[in-house]
Amino acid sequence: MDEAELRTLTPTVIGILVRRGADFAAAEDAVQDALVEAVRVWADDPPRDPKGWLVTVAWRKFLDAARADASRRHREERVEGEPLPGPGEAVDDTLQLYFLCGHPSLTPASAVALTLRAVGGLTTRQIAQAYLVPEATMAQRISRAKRTVAGVRFNQPGDVATVLRVLYLVFNEGYSGDVDLAGEAIRLTRQLAARIDHQEVAGLLALMLLHHARRPARTGPGGRLVPLAEQDRSLWDTRLIAEGVDVLQTALARDRLGEFQAQAAIAALHADARKAEETDWVQIVEWYDELVRLTGSPVARLNRAVAVGEADGPRAGLAALAGLDPALPRYVAVEAYLRERDGDPVTAARLYAEAARAAASLPECEHLTRQAARLNGRLRG
Protein backbone atom coordinates (compact mmCIF):
# COMPACT_ATOMS: atom_id res chain seq x y z
CA MET A 1 0.00 0.00 0.00
CA ASP A 2 1.55 3.34 -1.08
CA GLU A 3 1.26 6.67 0.72
CA ALA A 4 -1.68 7.84 -1.42
CA GLU A 5 -3.66 4.70 -0.61
CA LEU A 6 -2.77 5.13 3.04
CA ARG A 7 -4.28 8.58 3.10
CA THR A 8 -7.62 7.31 1.84
CA LEU A 9 -7.97 5.63 5.25
CA THR A 10 -7.39 8.88 7.11
CA PRO A 11 -11.02 10.09 7.44
CA THR A 12 -12.17 6.67 8.68
CA VAL A 13 -9.44 6.39 11.29
CA ILE A 14 -10.02 9.97 12.47
CA GLY A 15 -13.71 9.19 12.86
CA ILE A 16 -12.93 6.12 14.99
CA LEU A 17 -10.66 8.13 17.28
CA VAL A 18 -13.29 10.86 17.67
CA ARG A 19 -15.88 8.25 18.64
CA ARG A 20 -13.45 6.95 21.25
CA GLY A 21 -13.29 10.39 22.85
CA ALA A 22 -10.55 12.33 21.04
CA ASP A 23 -11.35 15.83 19.80
CA PHE A 24 -11.07 16.24 16.04
CA ALA A 25 -7.83 18.28 15.94
CA ALA A 26 -6.03 15.87 18.29
CA ALA A 27 -7.33 12.88 16.32
CA GLU A 28 -6.11 14.43 13.08
CA ASP A 29 -2.63 15.00 14.51
CA ALA A 30 -2.48 11.46 15.91
CA VAL A 31 -3.44 9.95 12.56
CA GLN A 32 -0.81 12.08 10.80
CA ASP A 33 1.80 10.71 13.21
CA ALA A 34 0.55 7.17 12.58
CA LEU A 35 0.80 7.68 8.81
CA VAL A 36 4.41 8.84 9.18
CA GLU A 37 5.12 5.69 11.20
CA ALA A 38 3.39 3.55 8.57
CA VAL A 39 5.47 4.99 5.74
CA ARG A 40 8.59 4.23 7.75
CA VAL A 41 7.86 0.61 8.75
CA TRP A 42 5.39 -0.89 6.30
CA ALA A 43 7.86 -1.26 3.45
CA ASP A 44 9.65 -3.99 5.42
CA ASP A 45 6.75 -5.33 7.49
CA PRO A 46 3.29 -4.58 6.05
CA PRO A 47 0.36 -5.42 8.38
CA ARG A 48 -2.43 -7.78 7.41
CA ASP A 49 -5.03 -5.24 8.56
CA PRO A 50 -3.84 -1.73 7.57
CA LYS A 51 -6.88 0.06 9.02
CA GLY A 52 -6.66 -1.81 12.31
CA TRP A 53 -2.94 -1.08 12.52
CA LEU A 54 -3.52 2.64 11.92
CA VAL A 55 -6.29 2.80 14.51
CA THR A 56 -4.11 1.10 17.13
CA VAL A 57 -1.04 3.23 16.49
CA ALA A 58 -3.00 6.48 16.13
CA TRP A 59 -4.86 5.85 19.39
CA ARG A 60 -1.57 5.17 21.18
CA LYS A 61 -0.10 8.38 19.80
CA PHE A 62 -3.21 10.28 20.85
CA LEU A 63 -2.84 8.97 24.40
CA ASP A 64 0.87 9.87 24.43
CA ALA A 65 0.07 13.40 23.25
CA ALA A 66 -2.70 13.76 25.83
CA ARG A 67 -0.34 12.71 28.62
CA ALA A 68 2.32 15.13 27.35
CA ASP A 69 -0.25 17.93 27.21
CA ALA A 70 -1.36 17.16 30.77
CA SER A 71 2.26 17.30 31.92
CA ARG A 72 2.76 20.63 30.16
CA ARG A 73 -0.36 22.09 31.80
CA HIS A 74 0.93 20.88 35.17
CA ARG A 75 4.20 22.75 34.58
CA GLU A 76 2.27 25.89 33.63
CA GLU A 77 0.21 25.66 36.82
CA ARG A 78 3.46 25.62 38.81
CA VAL A 79 4.29 29.01 37.34
CA GLU A 80 1.23 30.37 39.22
CA GLY A 81 0.41 33.07 36.74
CA GLU A 82 3.26 35.54 37.13
CA PRO A 83 6.98 34.84 36.58
CA LEU A 84 9.13 35.44 39.64
CA PRO A 85 12.20 37.68 39.37
CA GLY A 86 15.71 36.34 39.44
CA PRO A 87 17.30 33.14 38.09
CA GLY A 88 15.13 30.30 36.85
CA GLU A 89 14.88 26.92 38.48
CA ALA A 90 17.14 24.05 37.45
CA VAL A 91 16.81 23.23 33.72
CA ASP A 92 14.14 20.61 33.14
CA ASP A 93 13.42 18.29 30.24
CA THR A 94 11.15 20.80 28.51
CA LEU A 95 14.00 23.08 27.49
CA GLN A 96 15.98 20.05 26.34
CA LEU A 97 13.04 19.04 24.13
CA TYR A 98 13.09 22.49 22.52
CA PHE A 99 16.73 21.93 21.55
CA LEU A 100 16.14 18.40 20.31
CA CYS A 101 13.23 19.42 18.09
CA GLY A 102 15.56 21.94 16.45
CA HIS A 103 17.43 19.00 14.86
CA PRO A 104 20.12 19.89 12.27
CA SER A 105 18.33 17.75 9.67
CA LEU A 106 15.46 20.27 9.66
CA THR A 107 15.35 23.75 8.19
CA PRO A 108 14.97 26.45 10.88
CA ALA A 109 11.37 27.14 9.81
CA SER A 110 10.43 23.45 9.99
CA ALA A 111 12.19 23.02 13.33
CA VAL A 112 10.27 25.93 14.83
CA ALA A 113 6.94 24.67 13.49
CA LEU A 114 7.53 21.14 14.75
CA THR A 115 8.56 22.33 18.21
CA LEU A 116 5.58 24.63 18.53
CA ARG A 117 3.26 21.76 17.66
CA ALA A 118 4.96 18.92 19.55
CA VAL A 119 6.24 20.72 22.66
CA GLY A 120 4.62 24.14 22.77
CA GLY A 121 1.11 22.75 22.44
CA LEU A 122 0.00 25.24 19.76
CA THR A 123 -2.48 24.21 17.08
CA THR A 124 -1.55 24.14 13.41
CA ARG A 125 -3.82 27.13 12.84
CA GLN A 126 -2.08 29.21 15.52
CA ILE A 127 1.34 28.39 14.09
CA ALA A 128 0.16 29.26 10.56
CA GLN A 129 -1.12 32.63 11.79
CA ALA A 130 2.22 33.34 13.48
CA TYR A 131 4.03 32.58 10.21
CA LEU A 132 1.51 34.43 8.02
CA VAL A 133 0.88 31.35 5.84
CA PRO A 134 -2.27 29.28 5.08
CA GLU A 135 -3.12 26.56 7.58
CA ALA A 136 -2.82 23.85 4.90
CA THR A 137 0.71 25.01 4.06
CA MET A 138 1.75 24.83 7.71
CA ALA A 139 0.15 21.37 8.10
CA GLN A 140 2.27 20.11 5.20
CA ARG A 141 5.40 21.70 6.67
CA ILE A 142 4.84 20.01 10.03
CA SER A 143 4.10 16.65 8.39
CA ARG A 144 7.31 16.88 6.34
CA ALA A 145 9.27 17.73 9.48
CA LYS A 146 7.84 14.68 11.25
CA ARG A 147 8.76 12.45 8.31
CA THR A 148 12.28 13.92 8.22
CA VAL A 149 13.01 13.11 11.85
CA ALA A 150 11.19 9.75 11.93
CA GLY A 151 13.77 7.20 13.01
CA VAL A 152 16.49 9.83 13.49
CA ARG A 153 18.52 9.68 16.68
CA PHE A 154 18.12 12.97 18.52
CA ASN A 155 21.73 13.28 19.61
CA GLN A 156 22.43 16.50 17.72
CA PRO A 157 20.53 19.35 19.34
CA GLY A 158 19.53 22.42 17.36
CA ASP A 159 21.03 25.88 17.73
CA VAL A 160 20.14 28.67 20.10
CA ALA A 161 18.59 30.87 17.39
CA THR A 162 15.96 28.23 16.60
CA VAL A 163 15.08 27.75 20.26
CA LEU A 164 14.77 31.52 20.76
CA ARG A 165 12.43 31.77 17.78
CA VAL A 166 10.23 29.04 19.22
CA LEU A 167 10.15 30.58 22.70
CA TYR A 168 9.24 33.96 21.20
CA LEU A 169 6.33 32.55 19.23
CA VAL A 170 5.08 30.55 22.23
CA PHE A 171 5.21 33.73 24.33
CA ASN A 172 3.31 35.68 21.68
CA GLU A 173 0.51 33.11 21.67
CA GLY A 174 0.33 33.29 25.44
CA TYR A 175 0.43 37.09 25.41
CA SER A 176 -2.42 37.23 22.90
CA GLY A 177 -4.69 35.53 25.42
CA ASP A 178 -5.61 32.65 23.10
CA VAL A 179 -3.37 30.21 24.98
CA ASP A 180 -1.89 31.02 28.39
CA LEU A 181 1.72 30.13 27.65
CA ALA A 182 3.44 33.43 28.37
CA GLY A 183 4.55 32.51 31.89
CA GLU A 184 5.89 29.16 30.71
CA ALA A 185 7.87 30.84 27.92
CA ILE A 186 9.41 33.28 30.41
CA ARG A 187 10.26 30.43 32.77
CA LEU A 188 12.10 28.54 30.04
CA THR A 189 13.88 31.66 28.79
CA ARG A 190 15.09 32.36 32.33
CA GLN A 191 16.49 28.83 32.42
CA LEU A 192 18.21 29.34 29.08
CA ALA A 193 19.71 32.65 30.25
CA ALA A 194 21.07 30.94 33.35
CA ARG A 195 22.50 28.15 31.24
CA ILE A 196 24.29 30.05 28.48
CA ASP A 197 25.87 33.50 28.15
CA HIS A 198 24.26 34.85 24.98
CA GLN A 199 23.23 38.46 24.32
CA GLU A 200 20.13 37.53 22.31
CA VAL A 201 18.88 35.20 25.05
CA ALA A 202 19.09 38.21 27.38
CA GLY A 203 17.40 40.35 24.73
CA LEU A 204 14.49 37.93 24.43
CA LEU A 205 14.10 37.67 28.20
CA ALA A 206 14.04 41.47 28.50
CA LEU A 207 11.46 41.71 25.70
CA MET A 208 9.20 39.13 27.36
CA LEU A 209 9.43 40.80 30.77
CA LEU A 210 8.65 44.25 29.39
CA HIS A 211 5.65 43.03 27.41
CA HIS A 212 4.39 40.85 30.24
CA ALA A 213 4.55 43.83 32.59
CA ARG A 214 1.78 45.49 30.56
CA ARG A 215 -0.49 42.48 30.50
CA PRO A 216 -2.84 43.53 33.34
CA ALA A 217 -3.74 46.69 31.42
CA ARG A 218 -4.19 45.14 27.98
CA THR A 219 -7.82 44.09 28.44
CA GLY A 220 -10.84 45.71 30.03
CA PRO A 221 -14.22 44.37 31.17
CA GLY A 222 -15.41 41.37 29.16
CA GLY A 223 -11.99 40.88 27.57
CA ARG A 224 -12.20 44.20 25.68
CA LEU A 225 -8.88 45.03 23.99
CA VAL A 226 -7.28 48.22 25.35
CA PRO A 227 -4.75 49.84 22.95
CA LEU A 228 -1.37 50.83 24.37
CA ALA A 229 -2.14 54.57 24.27
CA GLU A 230 -5.31 54.07 26.33
CA GLN A 231 -3.93 51.66 28.94
CA ASP A 232 -3.99 52.50 32.65
CA ARG A 233 -0.24 52.61 33.22
CA SER A 234 -0.66 52.35 36.97
CA LEU A 235 -1.55 48.69 36.32
CA TRP A 236 1.81 47.98 34.70
CA ASP A 237 4.11 45.77 36.79
CA THR A 238 7.01 48.09 37.68
CA ARG A 239 8.99 45.19 39.16
CA LEU A 240 9.02 43.34 35.83
CA ILE A 241 9.79 46.57 33.96
CA ALA A 242 12.79 47.28 36.17
CA GLU A 243 14.07 43.74 35.72
CA GLY A 244 13.53 43.85 31.96
CA VAL A 245 15.39 47.17 31.61
CA ASP A 246 18.27 45.89 33.72
CA VAL A 247 18.59 42.70 31.63
CA LEU A 248 18.43 44.77 28.43
CA GLN A 249 21.08 47.26 29.50
CA THR A 250 23.45 44.43 30.35
CA ALA A 251 22.88 42.85 26.91
CA LEU A 252 23.28 46.15 25.01
CA ALA A 253 26.55 46.89 26.83
CA ARG A 254 28.10 43.95 24.96
CA ASP A 255 27.63 45.88 21.68
CA ARG A 256 26.39 42.86 19.71
CA LEU A 257 22.95 44.02 18.70
CA GLY A 258 20.30 41.48 17.65
CA GLU A 259 16.63 41.67 16.77
CA PHE A 260 15.35 40.75 20.24
CA GLN A 261 17.48 43.44 21.86
CA ALA A 262 16.14 45.98 19.37
CA GLN A 263 12.54 44.97 20.07
CA ALA A 264 13.20 45.10 23.81
CA ALA A 265 14.65 48.61 23.45
CA ILE A 266 11.40 49.71 21.78
CA ALA A 267 9.36 48.10 24.57
CA ALA A 268 11.56 49.82 27.17
CA LEU A 269 10.90 53.24 25.62
CA HIS A 270 7.16 52.61 25.84
CA ALA A 271 7.55 51.48 29.45
CA ASP A 272 9.56 54.60 30.30
CA ALA A 273 6.73 56.97 29.33
CA ARG A 274 4.49 57.84 32.28
CA LYS A 275 1.83 59.05 29.82
CA ALA A 276 1.25 58.04 26.19
CA GLU A 277 1.95 61.58 25.01
CA GLU A 278 5.39 61.46 26.66
CA THR A 279 6.53 58.53 24.48
CA ASP A 280 9.85 59.20 22.73
CA TRP A 281 8.69 58.30 19.23
CA VAL A 282 11.82 59.68 17.57
CA GLN A 283 13.99 57.15 19.41
CA ILE A 284 11.46 54.42 18.70
CA VAL A 285 11.70 55.14 14.96
CA GLU A 286 15.49 54.88 15.22
CA TRP A 287 15.21 51.49 16.91
CA TYR A 288 12.75 50.33 14.25
CA ASP A 289 15.31 51.37 11.64
CA GLU A 290 17.80 49.07 13.38
CA LEU A 291 15.23 46.27 13.55
CA VAL A 292 14.43 46.55 9.84
CA ARG A 293 18.15 46.56 9.06
CA LEU A 294 18.64 43.39 11.11
CA THR A 295 15.60 41.45 9.89
CA GLY A 296 14.02 43.05 6.83
CA SER A 297 10.73 41.96 8.45
CA PRO A 298 7.56 43.36 6.82
CA VAL A 299 5.92 43.36 10.27
CA ALA A 300 8.75 45.53 11.60
CA ARG A 301 8.27 47.87 8.63
CA LEU A 302 4.54 48.06 9.36
CA ASN A 303 5.15 48.94 13.01
CA ARG A 304 7.77 51.45 11.92
CA ALA A 305 5.13 53.21 9.78
CA VAL A 306 3.01 53.68 12.92
CA ALA A 307 6.01 55.09 14.80
CA VAL A 308 6.85 57.44 11.91
CA GLY A 309 3.23 58.61 11.96
CA GLU A 310 3.57 59.47 15.65
CA ALA A 311 7.01 61.08 15.34
CA ASP A 312 6.61 63.02 12.06
CA GLY A 313 2.86 63.18 11.51
CA PRO A 314 0.27 60.94 9.79
CA ARG A 315 1.25 61.95 6.25
CA ALA A 316 4.77 60.69 6.88
CA GLY A 317 3.34 57.51 8.35
CA LEU A 318 1.15 56.94 5.29
CA ALA A 319 4.17 57.50 3.05
CA ALA A 320 6.10 54.85 4.98
CA LEU A 321 3.09 52.53 4.73
CA ALA A 322 2.78 52.99 0.97
CA GLY A 323 5.78 50.79 0.22
CA LEU A 324 4.34 47.74 2.00
CA ASP A 325 2.10 44.93 0.77
CA PRO A 326 -1.57 45.78 1.56
CA ALA A 327 -2.18 42.06 2.17
CA LEU A 328 0.05 42.19 5.25
CA PRO A 329 -1.94 41.39 8.41
CA ARG A 330 -3.04 44.59 10.23
CA TYR A 331 -1.99 46.76 7.28
CA VAL A 332 -5.57 47.98 6.82
CA ALA A 333 -5.97 48.69 10.55
CA VAL A 334 -2.77 50.77 10.53
CA GLU A 335 -3.93 52.69 7.46
CA ALA A 336 -7.29 53.34 9.14
CA TYR A 337 -5.56 54.77 12.20
CA LEU A 338 -3.29 57.01 10.13
CA ARG A 339 -6.18 58.17 7.91
CA GLU A 340 -8.18 59.14 10.99
CA ARG A 341 -5.23 61.10 12.41
CA ASP A 342 -4.86 62.78 9.00
CA GLY A 343 -8.44 64.10 9.19
CA ASP A 344 -10.18 61.61 6.87
CA PRO A 345 -12.83 59.93 9.08
CA VAL A 346 -14.88 58.64 6.14
CA THR A 347 -12.02 56.56 4.74
CA ALA A 348 -10.88 55.61 8.24
CA ALA A 349 -14.31 54.26 9.20
CA ARG A 350 -14.48 52.15 6.04
CA LEU A 351 -10.99 50.79 6.62
CA TYR A 352 -11.67 49.99 10.30
CA ALA A 353 -14.70 47.93 9.24
CA GLU A 354 -12.64 46.16 6.57
CA ALA A 355 -9.86 45.44 9.08
CA ALA A 356 -12.39 44.04 11.57
CA ARG A 357 -13.57 41.48 9.01
CA ALA A 358 -9.97 40.25 8.58
CA ALA A 359 -8.99 40.34 12.28
CA ALA A 360 -7.19 37.28 13.64
CA SER A 361 -8.92 37.28 17.03
CA LEU A 362 -12.33 38.17 18.45
CA PRO A 363 -11.04 40.93 20.80
CA GLU A 364 -9.23 42.58 17.89
CA CYS A 365 -12.32 42.28 15.69
CA GLU A 366 -14.52 43.86 18.37
CA HIS A 367 -12.03 46.68 18.94
CA LEU A 368 -11.86 47.57 15.25
CA THR A 369 -15.65 47.34 14.92
CA ARG A 370 -16.01 49.81 17.81
CA GLN A 371 -13.56 52.16 16.09
CA ALA A 372 -15.61 52.07 12.89
CA ALA A 373 -18.85 52.58 14.83
CA ARG A 374 -17.35 55.53 16.74
CA LEU A 375 -16.41 57.32 13.52
CA ASN A 376 -19.67 56.51 11.77
CA GLY A 377 -21.61 57.82 14.77
CA ARG A 378 -19.59 61.03 14.70
CA LEU A 379 -20.21 61.43 10.94
CA ARG A 380 -23.98 60.93 11.35
CA GLY A 381 -24.10 63.36 14.25
Side-chain angles (χ1 to χ4, degrees), residues 113-125:
L114 178 62
T115 312
L116 289 171
R117 187 71 191 92
V119 187
L122 275 63
T123 66
T124 303
R125 175 173 298 179

Side-chain angles (χ1 to χ4, degrees), residues 1-10:
M1 180 176 287
D2 61 25
E3 188 170 350
E5 291 174 310
L6 264 176
R7 292 194 177 277
T8 63
L9 295 172
T10 297

Side-chain angles (χ1 to χ4, degrees), residues 353-365:
E354 181 184 339
R357 291 190 292 271
S361 68
L362 182 59
E364 184 180 0
C365 175

Side-chain angles (χ1 to χ4, degrees), residues 2 12 24-25 27 47 56 58 103 123 194 206 208 247 256 259 273 324 332 345 360 363:
D2 61 25
T12 301
F24 185 84
T56 299
H103 195 273
T123 66
M208 288 179 174
V247 171
R256 295 183 62 187
E259 62 173 298
L324 301 176
V332 178

